[in-house]
Amino acid sequence: MLLNPPRYRIGLAASRAHQDAADSALVRLLQGGQAAIETLQPQFIVVGRTLDAIRSHGLLPGYPSFERFPYGRDGGMMMLVSRVVDTDPAKTLDAVIYLMDPVDPSSNFPEAQALKRQCVIHGKPLLSTLAGAREWLELEAVAAGAAPDPTLDASFDLANESIALIAHDAMKGRMLELAEQHFALLDSFAMRCATGTTGGLLNQLAQKIKGQDAGRNWVRPFLSGPMGGDAQIAELILNRQCRRVLFLEDPHVARQHEADIQLLERAARTVTDYASCSSDAKGVVRWLSLLTGRSQRTA
C-alpha cells in the first residue's frame, strides 16, 4: 500500500523498440529514476504491453501502484488521451511519459497525435524522450525534498548547455513573458537559439535588460520555421549541441509547415537519451522554476 495518496498520476507507454531490450529506454528510465520514483510515489497508468515489459524485466519489484490499460491495439493509448482531459481529480493524469521511437509508425497514429495535442491544451507535460522523462522525475523529486542525483549533474551545468526557444505566432507574447520572468536562468545557458521572428524579439528583450551591445546577439537567430529554421535546430540536436527545446505551440490553428515541426520533435526522439522538447506553456513555467533550483545545486 502507498503510505500517502499518490502525488502524481502518470500515464506510461513505450514504443516496442524502447521496451524490449535489457538496455531499452524504458529499462534505463525506471532503473535510473528509481530513487525519484520512490520519493514521488506516483500512480502509473500503463498501457498493457509496456506493463508486461516492466514485469518481464523485473522493474520496480513490488511497486504498489500500477493501473493497467489495454494494449494499444485494443484502445489503451486512446484511453490515456481520455485521462489527460478528464476533470475528475481522482482520474486525471498529471503527466504522460510516452517513449516514442521515431521510426515506429504508431508514433504518428491519430491517438499519438491527439495525446500530444491534448497535453498541450490541458497543460500536462508529455515526456517523449528518455532524457526528458529522467529530467522531469529528477526535478519533481528534488522539489519534494530528495537529494539530487549526481549522475545527472552534467546536464544541469547550464554554463555548458544550450537551449532552443521557439514559439508560434499566437504564443510569441507568452514566450517573451517567460523569457523576461526567467531571464537569469536563460542567461546562464552557454547558448540560446531561436527561429525567425522569435529570435529577433528575444534579442530586443535582451537589449532592454542587458544593454544594446550586450543583448544584441543574446539569441542566435535561425531562419523562420516555414523557411527551414526548425531543420537547422534539428541538426544541432542530432549533433548533441542543443539538449533542450522550449517550443510553445498553438494547438488551435492549422499549420502549413507541420512537417517541419514534426521533424524537430523527431530529432529530439532520435537522440532520446540526450534531448527533450517541452511544449505546454503551463508545464514550462514549472519546469523553468524547478530547473533554476536544480541548476543552482549543481553550480
Side-chain angles (χ1 to χ4, degrees):
M1 295 289 291
L2 289 174
L3 297 179
N4 299 295
R7 182 176 282 112
Y8 295 105
R9 291 178 180 83
I10 302 175
L12 179 59
S15 297
R16 183 165 299 197
H18 284 326
Q19 61 181 237
D20 286 347
D23 62 348
S24 65
L26 179 67
V27 173
R28 286 184 285 163
L29 171 66
L30 297 184
Q31 287 182 342
Q34 185 168 350
I37 292 167
E38 290 174 354
T39 295
L40 297 173
Q41 289 283 291
Q43 180 183 21
F44 285 109
I45 293 81
V46 193
V47 174
R49 193 176 190 280
T50 301
L51 186 55
D52 291 346
I54 290 171
R55 289 171 172 162
S56 69
H57 288 298
L59 301 169
L60 301 181
Y63 191 76
S65 192
F66 286 114
E67 179 180 349
R68 184 187 185 94
F69 268 7
Y71 277 50
R73 65 172 177 265
D74 297 321
M77 293 298 298
M78 300 178 202
M79 293 171 67
L80 280 185
V81 181
S82 177
R83 285 293 184 93
V84 167
V85 307
D86 203 311
T87 58
D88 183 349
K91 295 174 64 178
T92 192
L93 298 179
D94 299 294
V96 176
I97 297 173
Y98 179 19
L99 301 175
M100 294 189 191
D101 174 12
V103 300
D104 187 333
S106 67
S107 65
N108 289 315
F109 283 2
E111 52 266 44
Q113 298 299 313
L115 183 63
K116 179 201 167 186
R117 182 174 183 274
Q118 293 302 332
C119 281
V120 172
I121 290 172
H122 291 272
K124 310 290 181 70
L126 174 64
L127 309 157
S128 62
T129 68
L130 170 61
R134 281 293 312 275
E135 177 169 287
W136 187 85
L137 289 171
E138 168 75 358
L139 292 177
E140 293 293 341
V142 170
D149 181 348
T151 67
L152 298 177
D153 280 352
S155 69
F156 291 106
D157 180 9
L158 302 186
N160 292 306
E161 292 289 315
S162 300
I163 188 169
L165 304 168
I166 306 169
H168 288 144
D169 289 345
M171 303 300 292
K172 294 188 190 305
R174 186 67 178 124
M175 175 65 81
L176 290 174
E177 291 175 1
L178 288 172
E180 187 167 14
Q181 292 165 3
H182 299 276
F183 191 85
L185 172 72
L186 296 174
D187 194 46
S188 67
F189 278 85
M191 190 271 284
R192 296 149 297 278
C193 61
T195 53
T197 306
T198 303
L201 292 171
L202 288 169
N203 278 334
Q204 289 176 21
L205 173 67
Q207 286 179 303
K208 183 174 71 173
I209 295 173
K210 301 187 69 167
Q212 290 294 315
D213 291 335
R216 180 173 291 111
N217 298 310
W218 189 68
V219 166
R220 177 183 173 186
F222 286 103
L223 296 171
S224 69
M227 295 301 295
D230 293 332
Q232 291 178 304
I233 292 177
E235 182 178 359
L236 291 180
I237 296 169
L238 293 169
N239 287 332
R240 296 177 180 257
Q241 295 174 323
C242 182
R243 185 190 305 273
R244 297 174 177 90
V245 179
L246 196 167
F247 192 163
L248 296 186
E249 297 189 38
D250 179 1
H252 298 294
V253 297
R255 300 176 296 226
Q256 293 181 340
H257 68 296
E258 182 68 31
D260 303 288
I261 298 167
Q262 292 180 2
L263 179 148
L264 181 59
E265 294 172 340
R266 185 181 177 94
R269 293 170 189 142
T270 296
V271 285
T272 188
D273 61 338
Y274 170 79
S276 64
C277 184
S278 301
S279 296
D280 67 289
K282 180 180 176 182
V284 163
V285 170
R286 181 167 177 80
W287 172 64
L288 289 171
S289 298
L290 297 185
L291 184 60
T292 298
R294 179 61 175 84
S295 63
Q296 290 172 348
R297 300 282 289 270
T298 300

